[in-house]
Amino acid sequence: MRFTRRGFVRGAAAVAAAAGLGTGFQPTLASAKQDDERRSGRWVTGDFHTHTWLTDGSHTQVDVVSHAFQYGLDWMANSEHGGISVRMPDGTPFPSPVWRWITLKDYSYPIIQDLRKQYRSKLLVQGLEWNVPTHEHASVGIVADEPKAISDFEYMFDQSDKDTSRASEGLPKLNKTHANAVAGAKWLYDHYRTSSYYILNHPSRKLLYTATDIRDFIDAAPGVAIGLEGFPGHQKEAWRGGYGGSYGDNTYKARTYGGADLMLAKVGGLMDSLWGEGRKYWVFVNSDFHSSDDDADFWPGEYAKTYTYINGGSYRDLIAGLRSGNSFIVHGDLINALDFSARSKGESATMGQTLRVDKGDNVHIKIRFRCPATNNSGARVDVDHIDLIAGHLTGPYADRAKDTNESAQVVRRFARRDWDRDDGWYVITYQVQKAAKSQYFRLRGTNLGVGVPNETDANGNPLIDDLVAPNTIAKAYADLWFYSNPIFVKVI
């Protein structure tokens, strides 16, 4: 097989022409006029992990984007595998495989540029599903120096990219070790600190990310290594989330619980250990869309949404919103709005922020949420209860491998009798009396009750999804959750 660049730029122009796209696209961000049209603080929904014919998907980029926006998303990234492409954007086989760094800039990005002109009120990112050296996958996006930056990153750091033809350009191959993976994260931080993101995909699926690994990434690229998929994609698959591997005594770790990765689903688990350290590392959700077949994937936005608050409407504003932590994740449109805040003496903080209070002060927590009448299954949406989860905020642990936080617990469960109505919102209030220790607070909510056979335990925790396998669309819609990112409360 030949993996050369020769002849493929001409092929890209032919494919673009056949798809009705123009040529001569420039690597620029959305126009200033488009930014002005979107310039206001607002909640947006998005999906950063989708696939097309260019890798192992079975739809065109145009088709994926049109469905995503029909399902209400405000932004989307094309984020598919590094290594090679064997098909053109329309599904036609290449005469021989093409290195992904080429198709990123010469095939995929021109289509995105054209779609940006069509969907001027939306944000479209050229991303990459990075084959992280010695690990699993991750979503990377760079919204500056397009498309050269993401193409160069794939060439240098993707474990599946074996091309060595660009040494004369000063681009090294750093794609074999964990140290190389950390170097990739640091490269993003050094070159695109405010215009890139790095989010781990299906983090427990193959048990190839440890707590130590994650801390290494955060330390190398704070504000760029911003989180992981708390809800993985593939929520229609028979093994929910695609988490079907066998790993002996550790198989339970490589499973979903109410559709969530165990790193998030377990109260006192890995995410709680990171939040206990005060780390700005967040949870996200996506579709991991490949195919719309009944046993494959939901369309972007059809079932999974990450809600993020952004100030402004530019691509850098989107990155700033993602890194802020002011976001929450939802399955099946269980809720479609959340206002979660902590207040003391006139000062307040929301998700991702820190509220500083004097020792002995009271902290007032307020939760406001809304639900749609029905979701995309056509079913009525009802929240059964919401859990307020808290853990001690201690600073960095001595043990970088620590993936538990024994202080984390559900401090209060709110059922329907506990919330009020206010102009279409459900409202819950809670008071922390005489704060003595620094803590963080986070939320989870579900349509399920406590102690539902094969679904939740006596404490309301989601049970392993194997108990209701094989998964189906109906089962996925019957088992809905949302999770918030935390609010940190620092007692001084």
Side-chain angles (χ1 to χ4, degrees):
M1 292 188 296
R2 290 168 48 240
F3 294 89
T4 65
R5 188 175 189 276
R6 184 181 303 275
F8 289 119
V9 173
R10 183 183 306 167
V15 171
L21 307 179
T23 57
F25 294 96
Q26 297 301 314
T28 59
L29 299 181
S31 68
K33 179 179 179 181
Q34 290 172 332
D35 287 349
D36 289 342
E37 291 172 352
R38 294 189 295 255
R39 195 165 301 284
S40 61
R42 61 190 175 119
W43 286 97
V44 298
T45 57
D47 190 322
F48 55 83
H49 187 179
T50 63
H51 297 258
T52 73
W53 286 116
L54 271 171
T55 57
D56 55 349
S58 58
H59 294 269
T60 66
Q61 179 71 3
V62 172
D63 198 20
V64 176
V65 167
S66 66
H67 278 84
F69 294 154
Q70 287 171 22
Y71 281 113
L73 296 189
D74 301 291
W75 73 276
M76 201 199 81
N78 168 260
S79 178
E80 45 196 333
H81 303 289
I84 60 172
S85 294
V86 297
R87 294 171 301 199
M88 298 184 188
D90 64 357
T92 303
F94 281 119
S96 60
V98 183
W99 292 115
R100 183 75 178 113
W101 68 266
I102 296 172
T103 65
L104 275 166
K105 67 186 186 66
D106 291 341
Y107 290 82
S108 183
Y109 184 69
I111 296 172
I112 287 176
Q113 281 288 75
D114 189 77
L115 288 168
R116 285 175 176 175
K117 297 174 184 177
Q118 181 179 346
Y119 297 100
R120 292 185 177 275
S121 65
K122 307 293 187 178
L123 297 172
L124 284 163
V125 176
Q126 177 60 75
L128 165 74
E129 183 165 22
W130 180 20
N131 297 299
V132 184
T134 73
H135 298 293
E136 246 255 45
H137 300 153
S139 289
V140 173
I142 307 172
V143 299
D145 296 341
E146 296 176 296
K148 184 180 186 300
I150 194 73
S151 176
D152 289 354
F153 178 87
E154 191 281 339
Y155 171 85
M156 289 187 288
F157 297 106
D158 194 278
Q159 184 169 258
S160 296
D161 192 315
K162 309 302 183 183
D163 186 22
T164 59
S165 66
R166 304 182 67 189
S168 63
E169 300 176 43
L171 296 181
K173 298 296 288 188
L174 302 168
N175 62 350
K176 294 181 179 179
T177 66
H178 171 69
N180 291 159
V182 174
K186 191 172 188 307
W187 186 89
L188 292 170
Y189 179 79
D190 289 342
H191 294 85
Y192 300 102
R193 190 169 307 178
T194 62
S195 55
S196 69
Y197 60 79
Y198 165 34
I199 300 170
L200 304 188
N201 295 344
H202 30 74
S204 297
R205 187 175 68 173
K206 295 183 179 180
L207 302 183
L208 291 175
Y209 287 115
T210 68
T212 301
D213 298 331
I214 293 172
R215 289 184 171 96
D216 287 347
F217 296 135
I218 299 171
D219 290 346
V224 173
I226 56 174
L228 53 77
E229 292 175 0
F231 285 135
H234 298 313
Q235 290 288 321
K236 276 170 41 174
E237 285 197 9
W239 289 100
R240 198 169 180 183
Y243 282 43
S246 180
Y247 300 94
D249 292 343
N250 288 320
T251 295
Y252 76 95
K253 295 181 179 180
R255 289 295 184 270
T256 56
Y257 294 73
D261 190 287
L262 186 62
M263 291 183 182
L264 172 64
K266 179 181 178 181
V267 174
L270 189 145
M271 289 307 300
D272 281 310
S273 77
L274 297 176
W275 289 331
E277 293 183 297
R279 291 184 181 270
K280 306 294 188 178
Y281 198 69
W282 317 122
V283 291
F284 300 93
V285 63
N286 70 87
S287 63
D288 198 356
F289 179 80
H290 287 68
S291 169
S292 61
D293 293 342
D294 286 343
D295 59 350
D297 304 313
F298 291 105
W299 288 100
E302 181 182 6
Y303 182 78
K305 288 185 176 73
T306 295
Y307 285 79
T308 303
Y309 191 83
I310 67 173
N311 289 296
S314 73
Y315 284 84
R316 289 179 186 267
D317 292 330
L318 172 62
I319 301 299
L322 294 174
R323 67 192 295 183
S324 76
N326 193 2
S327 58
F328 60 96
I329 59 176
V330 185
H331 270 167
D333 294 313
L334 179 62
I335 64 173
N336 59 5
L338 178 65
D339 179 8
F340 175 35
S341 62
R343 179 179 296 273
S344 182
K345 289 185 176 179
E347 300 295 324
S348 66
T350 189
M351 294 172 286
Q353 297 178 344
T354 300
L355 176 68
R356 288 173 172 78
V357 303
D358 292 328
K359 188 173 184 178
D361 284 351
N362 295 336
V363 178
H364 305 274
I365 293 176
K366 191 170 187 178
I367 305 162
R368 300 168 70 242
F369 67 96
R370 290 190 301 196
C371 302
T374 60
N375 59 23
N376 288 316
S377 74
R380 179 178 172 178
V381 180
D382 287 306
V383 176
D384 181 85
H385 65 271
I386 293 175
D387 290 330
L388 178 65
I389 300 167
H392 294 164
L393 188 60
T394 61
Y397 298 146
D399 181 5
R400 290 177 63 82
K402 185 174 176 58
D403 61 1
T404 58
N405 181 348
E406 291 75 17
S407 71
Q409 60 181 313
V410 175
V411 294
R412 179 67 189 272
R413 174 164 296 128
F414 304 101
R416 295 173 190 169
R417 63 180 178 273
D418 299 313
W419 55 65
D420 299 318
R421 293 293 299 270
D422 180 19
D423 194 26
W425 291 79
Y426 297 101
V427 182
I428 300 167
T429 57
Y430 177 78
Q431 184 164 277
V432 179
Q433 299 280 355
K434 298 181 179 179
K437 293 183 178 180
S438 297
Q439 299 181 83
Y440 65 90
F441 297 89
R442 66 180 180 98
L443 303 176
R444 72 177 180 191
T446 180
N447 66 326
L448 297 173
V450 175
V452 177
N454 297 324
E455 296 282 12
T456 58
D457 66 16
N459 295 315
N461 299 302
L463 295 174
I464 191 169
D465 286 323
D466 290 25
L467 295 173
V468 292
N471 182 47
T472 64
I473 296 173
K475 289 178 181 179
Y477 270 111
D479 182 15
L480 302 179
W481 297 77
F482 79 84
Y483 289 83
S484 79
N485 281 308
I487 301 171
F488 303 100
V489 178
K490 178 71 173 178
V491 175
I492 55 178

